[in-house]
Amino acid sequence: MRPTYRYTTFFAILLLSACASMSLLWTTTSSSVLTILPTEDNTILVISEPDVDSISITELNLDGEELETKTYPVTLTDDGYGKYVTYPQPNGSFFQIDSTLSDVIFVDFNNDTYWDLFDKSGIELQANQTAIVEGAFNVDTGLFIFGKIITEDVDSSIALAFVIDTKGNVTQLLKIDSLIEFYQGFRDTQGHIALQGTSNNNAQDSTQFLRQHVISLSPNGDMLNQREVSHRTGLLGVSLGRSITITNGILEIDGQATTTDIGNRRFDRTEAITDTQGNLYVYGQSLGGFFLQFVTSHWLIKINAEGDTVFIYDDSENYFYEALTAPFIEENGNIRWRHKGLVPSHSGVALNTSEEGGLTFNVGLISTSQWNTAFTTFSPSGDIISEFIPPSGFKAIETNDYNEVVSVSGECWNTDTLYLEDKMITLREYCGEGMSSVTKTLSIFR
């Protein structure tokens, strides 16, 4: 007789209580909300998709009351996880851009204007050339875009950077023929920019490391410095006009090594911001592990303007995924940071008993996981002032063989977080059983 196996499967709903004194002031649920943006007037812009060819933007006050709704015939980027705004501006307007500049749009809710036609002649491309976007960030006059220009039928490219303003005009055009691309860029609060790019040391030797370069620019786009760095050097940011790099864990300011050793973290994902005092906040995610044990590290590092480490927050608790967002620096120096993610509570090889007795090992895996999104406030010195975990569902998953995955409803994504006045606004995604029936919950806490 062929043995049969019995598996024990459990599901539960677990509500998590708050770890700090925050209360829910207002909430609503919708399946069409895409993202939320802040305005300079401390209101909330809720962007929804009533149909595939348009978006609607509703302005809410901090009590959740609707102020105004406008509709625009544009579509947003879909990265496979959903549609979102790629480059929001501080005043509630936003740019939308893809990797080839083919569908650039700009929407300004306050002035009730938009455009979706970008004149690429300002980049001065030839007929056989294409501009590729590697990244962008906000500047005072619009959006700073960096990447490269590829020439068809020629195995080469040149580094490209420029600013597109809110009218669609190209300014501060920068092309460097000696570099093949810009792939990393940062801006400090004073408007200085640092870019990292590459140049091919020997085009005939494909095994040779690409040479790395760091470029520093003034707020108006003038070149301040260009230097070659080691292929082990990574750009972390720019502070008070000085480029911040790291080589083998050692922090460098404008190429001069400091005594700060960040360590040998594997920088699988690293981003950074600066504040008005020149402090650098580096945050990222490192992945690792062996066989069934996934070890990840999600960390936040504050470095002062002199290059000294103020604190390192490292949360290594086997998170499968981390929904990292940039820290929010308050005027008093406190740091608010949304972090954590999908946490496995159990995983391993399935151990089964047959009806004829005895134990067998199934080649499949069993795992149960829950989604916890924590909102932590740090003091300027790195002490945790408070940590808030809003109520969320518990999602259990069991994989008996490689064909069965079951889940219960619960929070499956945290897409946006805003801090306005004394309130925290979150947009969280909830999935039904089997990851179906996705809805968004918009909540205001204080």
Side-chain angles (χ1 to χ4, degrees):
M1 178 184 294
R2 181 183 178 185
T4 58
Y5 305 110
R6 296 191 298 272
Y7 303 92
T8 301
T9 307
F10 65 92
F11 300 102
I13 299 296
L14 175 65
L15 294 181
L16 301 175
S17 62
C19 298
S21 56
M22 295 196 75
S23 58
L24 178 65
L25 300 180
W26 177 88
T27 188
T28 187
T29 300
S30 171
S31 59
S32 62
V33 173
L34 302 177
T35 189
I36 55 177
L37 301 176
T39 73
E40 294 176 326
D41 298 326
N42 283 333
T43 59
I44 310 162
L45 297 184
V46 182
I47 302 179
S48 304
E49 186 180 48
D51 56 62
V52 296
D53 297 322
S54 66
I55 61 170
S56 66
I57 303 179
T58 299
E59 184 179 16
L60 304 178
N61 63 22
L62 294 184
D63 294 322
E65 298 171 337
E66 182 176 331
L67 304 178
E68 189 176 10
T69 297
K70 302 173 184 177
T71 301
Y72 300 93
V74 297
T75 58
L76 301 185
T77 295
D78 191 336
D79 64 353
Y81 293 97
K83 295 184 178 181
Y84 65 103
V85 169
T86 50
Y87 299 106
Q89 300 290 103
N91 61 358
S93 61
F94 65 87
F95 285 92
Q96 185 74 42
I97 188 172
D98 66 13
S99 61
T100 60
L101 297 178
S102 60
D103 296 306
V104 181
I105 65 174
F106 176 76
V107 176
D108 187 340
F109 180 87
N110 290 335
N111 296 312
D112 195 21
T113 60
Y114 82 98
W115 51 261
D116 57 2
L117 182 62
F118 171 52
D119 184 6
K120 291 182 285 187
S121 64
I123 309 176
E124 301 173 1
L125 296 177
Q126 298 178 13
N128 62 340
Q129 291 183 325
T130 302
I132 303 297
V133 177
E134 299 291 349
F137 47 79
N138 293 325
V139 293
D140 295 337
T141 56
L143 192 69
F144 186 95
I145 300 171
F146 57 89
K148 60 186 175 182
I149 295 176
I150 295 177
T151 303
E152 297 178 9
D153 303 323
V154 179
D155 188 18
S156 66
S157 62
I158 63 173
L160 168 71
F162 62 95
V163 171
I164 178 174
D165 66 19
T166 58
K167 303 295 184 182
N169 301 313
V170 172
T171 63
Q172 298 184 20
L173 180 64
L174 174 65
K175 297 180 181 180
I176 300 183
D177 294 340
S178 61
L179 302 183
I180 62 175
E181 66 175 345
F182 290 126
Y183 65 89
Q184 183 75 285
F186 296 94
R187 177 181 184 267
D188 65 15
T189 55
Q190 297 177 328
H192 300 96
I193 293 170
L195 300 170
Q196 184 164 12
T198 56
S199 65
N200 199 338
N201 191 35
N202 185 348
Q204 305 303 317
D205 185 357
S206 60
T207 65
Q208 194 171 43
F209 285 114
L210 295 177
R211 296 165 60 185
Q212 302 295 305
H213 297 258
V214 170
I215 311 295
S216 298
L217 304 175
S218 70
N220 61 5
D222 295 331
M223 181 82 71
L224 298 178
N225 182 266
Q226 177 178 349
R227 57 189 173 88
E228 184 174 344
V229 297
S230 164
H231 70 271
R232 297 184 178 89
T233 298
L235 179 65
L236 288 186
V238 56
S239 171
L240 304 179
R242 305 163 304 168
S243 62
I244 309 296
T245 54
I246 183 172
T247 304
N248 297 328
I250 302 299
L251 192 76
E252 302 153 333
I253 298 180
D254 270 349
Q256 301 299 311
T258 70
T259 58
T260 296
D261 187 349
I262 293 179
N264 57 356
R265 288 176 177 80
R266 178 183 169 191
F267 292 138
D268 291 304
R269 178 180 173 185
T270 303
E271 298 180 44
I273 63 170
T274 55
D275 61 19
T276 56
Q277 306 301 314
N279 296 305
L280 181 73
Y281 303 83
V282 186
Y283 58 101
Q285 169 178 288
S286 301
L287 301 178
F290 175 73
F291 192 42
L292 300 177
Q293 294 300 317
F294 291 90
V295 180
T296 66
S297 176
H298 312 112
W299 38 266
L300 171 66
I301 303 172
K302 179 181 178 180
I303 300 164
N304 65 21
E306 288 71 42
D308 301 320
T309 300
V310 178
F311 71 83
I312 296 177
Y313 171 82
D314 197 330
D315 196 350
S316 305
E317 296 185 15
N318 295 340
Y319 297 113
F320 278 151
Y321 182 80
E322 173 74 4
L324 286 173
T325 56
F328 177 81
I329 313 302
E330 299 181 315
E331 292 183 2
N332 61 6
N334 286 347
I335 307 153
R336 294 195 183 192
W337 193 40
R338 187 191 87 196
H339 60 114
K340 296 190 179 179
L342 190 61
V343 186
S345 56
H346 170 73
S347 62
V349 177
L351 179 64
N352 312 303
T353 59
S354 70
E355 292 181 349
E356 297 180 346
L359 299 176
T360 60
F361 284 96
N362 188 359
V363 295
L365 305 177
I366 293 178
S367 66
T368 60
S369 303
Q370 75 181 42
W371 183 277
N372 274 350
T373 301
F375 302 87
T376 303
T377 300
F378 300 90
S379 71
S381 59
D383 297 324
I384 294 179
I385 298 175
S386 65
E387 187 167 80
F388 174 63
I389 303 178
S392 60
F394 180 87
K395 181 169 58 180
I397 303 172
E398 179 180 0
T399 307
N400 292 338
D401 49 39
Y402 288 109
N403 299 314
E404 181 183 359
V405 176
V406 183
S407 65
V408 300
S409 58
E411 183 184 344
C412 53
W413 200 259
N414 190 313
T415 56
D416 291 297
T417 303
L418 305 178
Y419 299 102
L420 300 176
E421 295 183 350
D422 60 344
K423 296 179 177 65
M424 181 179 75
I425 301 94
T426 68
L427 182 63
R428 293 182 289 159
E429 184 174 289
Y430 284 81
C431 299
E433 184 174 340
M435 302 296 286
S436 62
S437 304
V438 175
T439 59
K440 299 282 185 67
T441 297
L442 176 62
S443 303
I444 301 176
F445 298 91
R446 182 171 57 191

